[in-house]
């Protein structure tokens, strides 16, 4: 077994020899089967006097990112704590933010949390907690439900289960290997090129159907309208027709023929990062709630 390998077994009864057989089988699989990937290691910052200034700086960057609408700050939709689901937005349970006193957020989004932190004049994100209104005894640090990556003094740091950690060299090598694999999965189709003529056609459809489409001007929306009409996709952009997860936009388009979510983002690295994060969250939810769309 290698560092980071973990196996959880649920059995009613077992003998020591059974465990030995399982370990032997796992060892054989690791040695002989093709690996789908490796678990990256992280070096956690210990909460001690030496690391206190660094942790404080990272906390301030995170708070600035939340208040400034940084798209690299995201929320985890499902939080599991010791086998129990701590936050489950699908239940429409009210969520409270606690900083000196409690505040109820309008929706489970970074924007709503930012509004509360501004109202509370928060200057220390590490002192902010979150809890379901129906179970106030189940309170966790807000850091526990946030995802954030930033570069600090030449190193990349991220939040992992509420703790700051840096990526070591083995992780960076892992990322480089994975980047090289991108072309094995990505296909380039010129039929989807973002041409002026395509956007203009989308705007014409948009203007001709004011009761069907929102009359907004940003480029992404008419482009999605064009794709909807060109390929008979289902338009999800600016739609929240599902009864649960009301604050979640699952994708921009949905291909019913191929059962595929299609995400569209026009921009640079931050927009792409947000798009990837959105697709991961959507996939997690759809794997559990297949009928959500």
């Amino acid at each position: 077994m290698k560092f980071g390998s973990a196996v959880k077994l649920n059995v009613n009864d077992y003998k020591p020899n059974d465990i030995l057989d399982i370990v032997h089988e796992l060892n054989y699989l690791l040695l002989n089967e093709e690996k789908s990937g490796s678990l990256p290691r992280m070096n956690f910052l210990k909460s001690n006097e030496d690391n206190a200034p660094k942790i404080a700086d990272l906390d301030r960057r995170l708070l600035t990112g939340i208040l400034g609408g940084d798209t690299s700050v995201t929320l985890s939709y499902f939080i599991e704590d010791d086998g129990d689901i701590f936050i489950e937005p699908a239940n429409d349970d009210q969520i409270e933010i606690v900083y000196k006193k409690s505040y109820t957020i309008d929706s489970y989004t970074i924007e709503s949390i930012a509004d509360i932190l501004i109202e509370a004049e928060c200057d220390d994100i590490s002192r902010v907690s979150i809890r379901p209104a129906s179970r106030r005894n189940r309170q966790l640090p807000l850091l526990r439900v946030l995802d954030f990556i930033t570069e600090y003094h030449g190193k990349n740091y991220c939040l992992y289960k509420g703790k700051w950690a840096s990526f070591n060299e083995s992780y960076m090598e892992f990322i480089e290997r994975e980047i090289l694999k991108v072309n094995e999965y990505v296909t380039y189709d010129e039929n989807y090129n973002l041409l002026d003529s395509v956007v203009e056609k989308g705007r014409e459809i948009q203007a001709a159907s004011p009761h069907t489409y929102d009359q907004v001007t940003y480029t992404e929306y008419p482009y999605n309208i064009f794709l909807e009409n060109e390929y008979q996709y289902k338009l999800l952009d600016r739609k929240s027709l599902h009864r649960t997860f009301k604050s979640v936009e699952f994708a921009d388009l949905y291909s019913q023929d191929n059962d595929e979510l299609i995400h569209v983002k026009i921009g640079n690295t931050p927009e792409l990062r947000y798009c990837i994060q959105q697709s991961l969250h959507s996939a997690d939810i759809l794997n559990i709630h297949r009928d959500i769309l």
Side-chain angles (χ1 to χ4, degrees), residues 32-283:
N32 296 281
E33 296 296 324
E34 182 179 352
K35 297 177 178 61
S36 60
S38 58
L39 185 66
R41 306 182 194 182
M42 290 183 290
N43 299 320
F44 288 93
L45 288 178
K46 295 181 179 179
S47 297
N48 55 34
E49 187 176 347
D50 291 338
N51 288 328
K54 184 182 296 183
I55 293 174
D57 285 347
L58 292 170
D59 285 347
R60 279 191 290 271
R61 286 195 180 194
L62 173 61
L63 180 59
T64 301
I66 295 173
L67 301 182
D70 189 339
T71 55
S72 64
V73 185
T74 58
L75 277 170
S76 297
Y77 282 103
F78 295 98
I79 292 297
E80 183 271 336
D81 184 41
D82 197 23
D84 187 23
I85 299 298
F86 174 69
I87 288 180
E88 205 171 1
N91 290 339
D92 288 331
D93 189 13
Q94 286 188 320
I95 305 297
E96 294 180 344
I97 296 296
V98 182
Y99 181 76
K100 298 181 181 178
K101 66 177 185 177
S102 63
Y103 304 82
T104 301
I105 58 177
D106 295 331
S107 60
Y108 188 65
T109 61
I110 290 292
E111 292 76 15
S112 293
I113 292 174
D115 290 341
I116 294 297
L117 297 182
I118 292 172
E119 179 184 345
E121 298 181 349
C122 176
D123 59 4
D124 187 352
I125 193 69
S126 67
R127 295 172 56 198
V128 181
S129 298
I130 189 170
R131 66 189 181 191
S134 60
R135 295 181 294 170
R136 288 191 169 98
N137 61 320
R138 300 297 305 278
Q139 187 167 306
L140 288 178
L142 179 63
L143 295 177
R144 178 69 175 76
V145 302
L146 295 174
D147 294 314
F148 181 60
I149 297 176
T150 186
E151 184 177 343
Y152 180 79
H153 289 184
K155 277 190 176 183
N156 289 312
Y157 288 88
C158 71
L159 272 177
Y160 182 75
K161 294 185 177 181
K163 297 180 179 179
W164 289 107
S166 64
F167 304 138
N168 65 11
E169 286 302 317
S170 64
Y171 178 77
M172 302 311 294
E173 292 171 2
F174 165 79
I175 291 295
E176 290 176 0
R177 292 196 303 270
E178 293 303 299
I179 289 174
L180 293 176
K181 295 180 182 178
V182 168
N183 288 336
E184 298 177 13
Y185 303 97
V186 173
T187 57
Y188 178 71
D189 190 340
E190 293 194 1
N191 292 321
Y192 292 88
N193 282 357
L194 183 67
L195 304 175
D196 290 340
S197 58
V198 166
V199 176
E200 185 58 34
K201 186 172 182 179
R203 293 195 192 282
E204 292 174 0
I205 300 171
Q206 178 186 13
S209 304
H211 299 295
T212 302
Y213 302 110
D214 295 338
Q215 299 304 302
V216 294
T217 58
Y218 64 92
T219 305
E220 191 177 300
Y221 190 59
Y223 175 68
N224 290 333
I225 292 174
F226 168 81
L227 294 179
E228 174 199 25
N229 287 269
E230 185 75 9
Y231 299 105
Q232 288 72 56
Y233 293 148
K234 181 178 180 180
L235 183 67
L236 300 181
D237 191 5
R238 303 180 63 83
K239 301 289 185 182
S240 297
L241 300 179
H242 37 276
R243 301 177 65 182
T244 53
F245 303 97
K246 294 182 179 65
S247 63
V248 178
E249 182 184 285
F250 283 91
D252 292 286
L253 299 155
Y254 175 63
S255 171
Q256 294 174 308
D257 292 339
N258 299 322
D259 193 24
E260 292 176 343
L261 291 174
I262 301 170
H263 301 266
V264 176
K265 267 291 176 271
I266 301 173
N268 296 308
T269 301
E271 288 76 19
L272 176 61
R273 186 185 297 119
Y274 174 82
C275 185
I276 293 171
Q277 193 68 49
Q278 179 193 26
S279 66
L280 290 172
H281 286 161
S282 300

